[in-house]
Amino acid sequence: MEENREQWGSKIGFILAAVGSAVGLGNIWRFPYVVYSSGGGAFLIPYFFAIFTAGIPLLILEYGMGHKFRGSTPLSLARANKKFEWFGWWSIISSAIILCYYSMILSMAMKYLTLSFNKGWGEDSNFFFYNDFLNLSDSPLNLGGIVFPILIGIALIWFINWFICYKGIKSGIEKMNKILLPCLLIIMIIIVIRGVTLEGAEVGLNKLFTPDWNKVKDPKIWILAYGQVFFSLSIATGIMMTYSSYLPRKTDINNSAFMTVFANCGFEFLCAIGVFAILGVMATIEGVPVEEVVTSGIGLAFIAFPKVFTIMGAWGNILGVLFFVCLAFAGITSAVSLVEAISAAIIDKFGWKRKKVVTGMCIIGFLVSTAFATNAGLYLLDIMDNFINNYGIVVVGLLEAFVIGWIVKPKVIREHTNAISHFKIGKWWDFIIKYITPTILLITLVQSIITEFKTPYGGYDLTSLLLYGWAIIALGIIGGILISKKPWKTENEEVL
């Protein structure tokens, strides 16, 4: 296999890049809510169980595959078994769509960063977000006009993506993560320290960590824990196999997987403490129970938090700026990893030059992303995110576990990683990849489909769900199959 592949400058550079990919917006706004709504402290039991039975095993699988077969996700899968190249492309197409709507969220974070200096969202953050800022249309099918502040932000994000990935692995992605990740951690620590020392913080923290042991008996909570671990580690998105293919021949793969997972978990817990301390402050000031101020996702970042910053006085300005810088940094490290996963696959397949691929991809990406800068952009983001996460990524993860577990055989990957790792993994890993991971992902998938048919997602009309949801899944599968039919560039063809 070719050895003219770019490489990381150091193992720590690779770990930081992998952690940078894993640490994203989900850590900041999804994890705290999942813990709170899933039994508080009791949720940690299914969460850690999921980490050891899915998070670490699947990460070892992806690191091992990328490192052994020296290629982006589609190339690594094609080298393992030509028949399964197509779903490597499916994960790349899903990542491309995620990247387009991710740029909208990052654009909003940047706009709110500028607003946070003078609390420009005013007294009613809810009205400001939906009406003044987004001017949201009445349905996903009514695109309306362009929201220019979002479009400008999207252009800026794509320029940043291009600038970092154009420079390559060592002097682009590695250097960026060495700067942004420590900054991200320091900012989050400042938010947490200030958050927990404010009056009312303990109300939020008690609500977050008080265990509700009854919830541990609920199978849905266990599935939710697996979902959280799966999504927050960037598994089945094409990123981790690609990143590990740039590692030198002798690298401790198993240890790297453990380090990535625990660094990501640590950051998730830090975010949860900071978020709930601030929500506790808000509940205390407004004299309402914590339940009434708790929200997840975009509502937390762009409605609930601005509201808290408004009533916090001068500290609100400081924490507001820090919080939106945090969102921007966490998002950029994830966005860059998606750009790299997609570009690497195209470079491997067609043999085009990195600079040409990255430039072309960022231009096309920007043009596609303009759909999210319309008045219906938030609807499109919501529907696509639901379908890609619940169907696209879960099915790719399921296929990965099945192909490695039953066709390539886990022993092949385990022996490869053990040969170069200080910490050896045993046959328990084979068992997890063959039986446990596929079973849990299959249950998750079936449950998602049943829920979807019982109550269509988000109360949207069927046309919108078909157009922006199911059609996106079909695009991934059909696109994956069509691209896999094309021949690889000659030097990759030789080793398939």
Side-chain angles (χ1 to χ4, degrees), residues 76-109:
S76 293
L77 284 164
R79 283 175 170 164
N81 190 314
K82 187 74 178 82
K83 286 197 205 84
F84 300 106
E85 180 194 329
W86 69 272
F87 76 79
W89 286 107
W90 182 10
S91 74
I92 295 299
I93 293 167
S94 294
S95 290
I97 295 158
I98 291 171
L99 188 55
C100 290
Y101 66 67
Y102 217 65
S103 65
M104 175 201 180
I105 303 172
L106 284 177
S107 167
M108 295 195 296

Side-chain angles (χ1 to χ4, degrees), residues 344-365:
I346 296 167
I347 293 164
D348 282 349
K349 183 81 179 180
F350 301 105
W352 299 336
K353 292 277 176 276
R354 163 180 286 276
K355 293 183 173 179
K356 177 179 161 187
V357 170
V358 171
T359 305
M361 205 190 107
C362 288
I363 292 168
I364 294 165

Side-chain angles (χ1 to χ4, degrees), residues 110-182:
M110 288 186 163
K111 176 64 180 169
Y112 267 67
L113 173 59
T114 63
L115 293 172
S116 56
F117 287 98
N118 63 350
K119 297 174 183 167
W121 44 75
E123 292 301 312
D124 187 343
S125 57
N126 191 60
F127 184 86
F128 175 83
F129 180 66
Y130 290 114
N131 299 286
D132 297 343
F133 178 43
L134 293 181
N135 189 13
L136 199 60
S137 67
D138 54 5
S139 108
L141 300 172
N142 175 15
L143 293 179
I146 292 283
V147 182
F148 283 100
I150 290 184
L151 186 66
I152 293 161
I154 287 175
L156 180 61
I157 292 300
W158 277 105
F159 176 75
I160 293 169
N161 286 340
W162 170 80
F163 183 77
I164 294 166
C165 291
Y166 190 83
K167 286 176 167 292
I169 299 300
K170 209 180 292 185
S171 44
I173 298 173
E174 188 170 336
K175 199 176 271 184
M176 171 207 66
N177 279 293
K178 281 181 175 172
I179 298 165
L180 290 194
L181 271 182

Side-chain angles (χ1 to χ4, degrees), residues 84-327:
F84 300 106
E85 180 194 329
W86 69 272
F87 76 79
W89 286 107
W90 182 10
S91 74
I92 295 299
I93 293 167
S94 294
S95 290
I97 295 158
I98 291 171
L99 188 55
C100 290
Y101 66 67
Y102 217 65
S103 65
M104 175 201 180
I105 303 172
L106 284 177
S107 167
M108 295 195 296
M110 288 186 163
K111 176 64 180 169
Y112 267 67
L113 173 59
T114 63
L115 293 172
S116 56
F117 287 98
N118 63 350
K119 297 174 183 167
W121 44 75
E123 292 301 312
D124 187 343
S125 57
N126 191 60
F127 184 86
F128 175 83
F129 180 66
Y130 290 114
N131 299 286
D132 297 343
F133 178 43
L134 293 181
N135 189 13
L136 199 60
S137 67
D138 54 5
S139 108
L141 300 172
N142 175 15
L143 293 179
I146 292 283
V147 182
F148 283 100
I150 290 184
L151 186 66
I152 293 161
I154 287 175
L156 180 61
I157 292 300
W158 277 105
F159 176 75
I160 293 169
N161 286 340
W162 170 80
F163 183 77
I164 294 166
C165 291
Y166 190 83
K167 286 176 167 292
I169 299 300
K170 209 180 292 185
S171 44
I173 298 173
E174 188 170 336
K175 199 176 271 184
M176 171 207 66
N177 279 293
K178 281 181 175 172
I179 298 165
L180 290 194
L181 271 182
C183 291
L184 183 60
L185 185 61
I186 292 163
I187 293 168
M188 204 32 140
I189 289 169
I190 295 169
I191 293 174
V192 170
I193 291 171
R194 186 58 196 137
V196 298
T197 53
L198 289 165
E199 192 184 340
E202 70 284 352
V203 179
L205 294 175
N206 286 341
K207 202 73 201 165
L208 173 65
F209 289 117
T210 303
D212 177 354
W213 298 110
N214 284 329
K215 293 224 171 163
V216 179
K217 298 172 192 163
D218 182 354
K220 281 185 184 163
I221 298 300
W222 286 77
I223 288 169
L224 208 58
Y226 276 88
Q228 177 61 32
V229 167
F230 209 70
F231 303 136
S232 80
L233 285 171
S234 297
I235 292 168
T237 53
I239 296 166
M240 295 308 189
M241 271 192 218
T242 305
Y243 270 12
S244 63
S245 73
Y246 302 130
L247 281 168
R249 280 287 180 200
K250 289 197 166 26
T251 306
D252 191 329
I253 298 283
N254 300 341
N255 199 17
S256 300
F258 278 91
M259 284 166 74
T260 307
V261 171
F262 289 125
N264 181 61
C265 290
F267 188 75
E268 282 191 325
F269 281 108
L270 192 64
C271 292
I273 292 166
V275 165
F276 267 80
I278 291 172
L279 291 174
V281 174
M282 181 175 173
T284 307
I285 293 172
E286 297 200 330
V288 295
V290 176
E291 294 85 89
E292 287 187 27
V293 296
V294 172
T295 176
S296 175
I298 285 179
L300 174 80
F302 301 111
I303 298 167
F305 264 39
K307 194 174 178 183
V308 190
F309 300 143
T310 301
I311 49 185
M312 274 172 69
W315 262 105
N317 291 60
I318 298 166
L319 287 180
V321 170
L322 291 176
F323 177 73
F324 289 110
V325 167
C326 221
L327 277 190

